[in-house]
């Protein structure tokens, strides 16, 4: 039996990386068109989504590696979206990789997948050898791991087939107004779920995380009691800030005070912007690629990309000189090593940066007084 026939039957997989529990797929959308055999030495799980522009690029990159190593390397692209959405996407953007759907997002949760794109490399025993952004997994890395892990395993030993009952998937919900909000009972989210659905920003998470994202603040710059910090699903039309709509809906007020601490201080008086031709991930895609070393952004304002920089550094960003525009630009900023980031911002964008003590705002959410 060839690998294509096996993957047509694939409904779930089980990996030692999560112990004895099984990671279920609700559906296999497509078998691999590039892998040659039923055996491989290395297996790569490509976590992606149709709305994530950088994910599409990462999958194309993995597709090249798959074609170069069709005998001992096997890639499965895994999405937790509605399978009909994925099928429609693949008609417009075909791939030769195997494509499957994660059953209720269990594989994503089990591997703590918080940012996309994301990937895991496993050997024939199912042991995780590497994890991170797929574009950081280079051909030299693959060749090194292939030399180190010569033992092969049949795909059926790594991907365990388990029949599950057919599921009914609801069509994607379409908001009826510019702002919609509803409480989510008995649901918790360790991190904020945020994505773009058509002309809307879609959030699922606690109130503190939603307000922090809308105000472009670090999570620790928002103070709220556990009693008020409930979980919600929110749809916000693009181009609007819904902070006060959310607060009015819940009969809450927002107050801010100044406090002092470590900040990333910016002088943007001589800023030089990139235009929007430097990076192009297409229309209606995610705007960011954030990995362990850098932030890339396609058509993003200064304030938005600075929010992402503050988030990865866990440090408030404060402007001491200059004023930012609200025009969209492309960005590429290294953040892992401070000296490289400092040079990067200065040489590429004319932004002077220093880490120092400074004042920044802290926001408190409270019930409205009668």
């Amino acid at each position: 039996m060839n690998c294509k026939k096996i993957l047509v039957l694939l409904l779930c997989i089980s990996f030692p990386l999560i112990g004895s529990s099984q990671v279920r797929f609700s559906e296999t959308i497509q078998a691999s068109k590039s892998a040659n055999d039923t055996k491989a030495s290395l297996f790569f799980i490509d976590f992606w989504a149709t709305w994530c522009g950088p994910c599409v690029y990462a999958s194309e990159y993995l597709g090249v590696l798959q074609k170069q190593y069709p005998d001992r390397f096997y890639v499965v692209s895994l999405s937790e979206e509605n399978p009909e959405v994925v099928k429609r996407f693949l008609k417009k953007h075909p791939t030769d990789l195997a494509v499957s759907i994660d059953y209720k997002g269990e594989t994503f949760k089990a591997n703590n997948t918080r940012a996309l794109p994301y990937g895991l490399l496993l050997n024939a025993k199912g042991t995780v050898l590497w994890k991170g952004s797929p574009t950081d997994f280079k051909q030299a890395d693959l060749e090194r791991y292939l030399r180190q892990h010569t033992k092969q395993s049949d795909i059926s030993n790594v991907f365990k087939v388990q029949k599950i009952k057919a599921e009914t998937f609801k069509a994607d919900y379409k908001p009826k107004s510019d702002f919609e909000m509803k409480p989510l009972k008995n649901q918790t989210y360790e991190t904020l779920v945020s994505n773009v659905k058509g002309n809307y920003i879609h959030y699922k998470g606690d109130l503190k995380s939603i307000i922090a994202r809308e105000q472009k603040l670090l999570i620790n710059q928002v103070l709220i009691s556990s009693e008020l910090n409930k979980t919600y699903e929110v749809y916000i039309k693009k181009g609007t800030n819904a902070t006060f709509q959310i607060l009015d809906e819940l009969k809450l007020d927002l107050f801010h005070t100044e406090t002092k601490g470590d900040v990333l201080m910016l002088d943007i008086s001589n800023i030089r912007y990139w235009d929007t031709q430097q990076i192009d991930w297409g229309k209606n895609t995610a705007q960011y690629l954030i990995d362990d070393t850098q932030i890339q952004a396609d058509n993003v304002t200064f304030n938005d990309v600075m929010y992402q920089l503050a988030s990865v550094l866990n440090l408030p960003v404060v402007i001491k000189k200059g004023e930012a525009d609200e025009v969209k630009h492309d960005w590429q900023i290294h953040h892992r090593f401070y000296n490289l980031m400092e040079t990067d911002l200065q040489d590429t964008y004319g932004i002077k940066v220093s880490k120092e003590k400074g004042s920044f705002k802290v926001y408190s959410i409270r019930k409205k007084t009668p």
Side-chain angles (χ1 to χ4, degrees):
M1 184 182 293
N2 63 35
C3 61
K4 292 183 180 180
K5 290 182 180 179
I6 289 175
L7 278 175
V8 168
L9 299 174
L10 178 61
L11 291 177
C12 73
I13 58 174
S14 175
F15 295 110
L17 68 147
I18 57 167
S20 60
S21 62
Q22 290 186 317
V23 182
R24 295 177 290 175
F25 290 175
S26 62
E27 185 176 342
T28 295
I29 301 298
Q30 173 179 292
S32 177
K33 299 177 183 179
S34 301
N36 287 340
D37 204 351
T38 63
K39 291 185 176 182
S41 301
L42 299 175
F43 302 86
F44 197 99
I45 305 176
D46 168 34
F47 296 89
W48 75 294
T50 59
W51 48 262
C52 172
C55 295
V56 177
Y57 169 77
S59 296
E60 291 174 352
Y61 169 73
L62 289 171
V64 173
L65 287 181
Q66 177 70 94
K67 289 178 181 178
Q68 290 177 322
Y69 300 86
D71 299 318
R72 296 181 56 208
F73 181 54
Y74 200 94
V75 181
V76 177
S77 286
L78 182 63
S79 172
E80 59 179 345
E81 296 171 279
N82 185 316
E84 296 306 316
V85 172
V86 175
K87 289 175 185 177
R88 290 198 299 268
F89 180 85
L90 292 177
K91 286 182 180 179
K92 296 181 180 179
H93 308 277
T95 178
D96 287 343
L97 294 176
V99 180
S100 292
I101 304 298
D102 188 8
Y103 180 81
K104 294 183 179 178
E106 292 180 20
T107 312
F108 277 70
K109 293 175 185 175
N111 292 286
N112 200 27
T113 307
R114 298 183 179 182
L116 297 177
Y118 185 70
L120 292 177
L121 179 73
L122 303 95
N123 64 14
K125 295 180 179 179
T127 304
V128 176
L129 306 175
W130 182 95
K131 56 187 176 180
S133 174
T135 53
D136 290 334
F137 183 67
K138 305 304 181 185
Q139 183 175 357
D141 298 322
L142 176 55
E143 291 179 347
R144 184 177 75 255
Y145 284 116
L146 285 171
R147 289 193 298 269
Q148 295 171 350
H149 299 269
T150 57
K151 182 179 178 180
Q152 292 192 342
S153 177
D154 194 90
I155 295 170
S156 62
N157 293 330
V158 179
F159 298 88
K160 300 296 182 183
V161 177
Q162 178 189 9
K163 291 183 179 179
I164 58 174
K165 65 180 180 180
E167 293 200 44
T168 301
F169 291 92
K170 296 179 181 179
D172 286 347
Y173 175 73
K174 295 181 179 180
K176 298 176 179 60
S177 60
D178 290 354
F179 169 77
E180 291 187 11
M181 180 177 185
K182 69 176 183 179
L184 297 175
K185 296 181 179 179
N186 303 318
Q187 294 186 46
T188 59
Y189 293 85
E190 187 175 336
T191 59
L192 180 67
V193 176
S194 172
N195 53 58
V196 177
K197 291 191 173 183
N199 290 322
Y200 289 83
I201 307 297
H202 178 224
Y203 294 132
K204 282 185 179 181
D206 60 54
L207 181 61
K208 179 175 182 176
S209 299
I210 294 170
I211 295 299
R213 175 62 66 89
E214 279 294 287
Q215 291 295 106
K216 299 181 178 62
L217 300 167
L218 291 180
I219 193 74
N220 56 13
Q221 286 180 261
V222 179
L223 305 177
I224 185 173
S225 68
S226 57
E227 176 191 1
L228 298 177
N229 194 32
K230 296 177 181 178
T231 305
Y232 299 92
E233 181 174 23
V234 182
Y235 285 90
I236 302 166
K237 194 162 187 180
K238 284 181 182 178
T240 61
N241 187 309
T243 297
F244 293 103
Q245 285 178 284
I246 294 170
L247 295 174
D248 286 344
E249 178 87 6
L250 301 174
K251 296 180 173 56
L252 299 173
D253 273 333
L254 187 68
F255 303 89
H256 76 264
T257 57
E258 292 278 337
T259 188
K260 288 193 174 183
D262 293 330
V263 301
L264 198 67
M265 196 70 74
L266 304 183
D267 178 350
I268 62 170
S269 54
N270 294 308
I271 191 169
R272 301 185 300 272
Y273 293 107
W274 270 5
D275 58 29
T276 56
Q277 307 304 314
Q278 306 296 320
I279 298 173
D280 183 10
W281 291 325
K283 296 180 179 179
N284 299 320
T285 60
Q287 297 168 302
Y288 300 101
L289 168 58
I290 303 172
D291 55 37
D292 293 340
T293 61
Q294 68 178 349
I295 298 171
Q296 292 186 60
D298 181 23
N299 300 337
V300 172
T301 66
F302 172 87
N303 288 329
D304 284 333
V305 82
M306 286 303 113
Y307 163 73
Q308 299 295 338
L309 182 61
S311 297
V312 297
L313 296 176
N314 194 28
L315 202 63
V317 170
V318 177
I319 299 173
K320 67 177 179 181
K321 285 185 181 180
E323 187 173 342
D325 66 22
E326 287 297 321
V327 179
K328 293 181 179 180
H329 308 279
D330 291 345
W331 305 85
Q332 187 172 39
I333 301 170
H334 290 86
H335 63 78
R336 185 173 182 180
F337 303 106
Y338 178 79
N339 289 339
L340 177 59
M341 178 188 69
E342 186 178 34
T343 302
D344 211 11
L345 289 171
Q346 174 69 62
D347 293 351
T348 306
Y349 304 103
I351 301 173
K352 293 181 181 178
V353 57
S354 59
K355 191 184 296 184
E356 55 188 77
K357 295 288 184 182
S359 297
F360 60 93
K361 292 180 179 179
V362 175
Y363 290 78
S364 299
I365 299 174
R366 306 172 196 166
K367 289 183 179 179
K368 284 187 176 181
T369 55

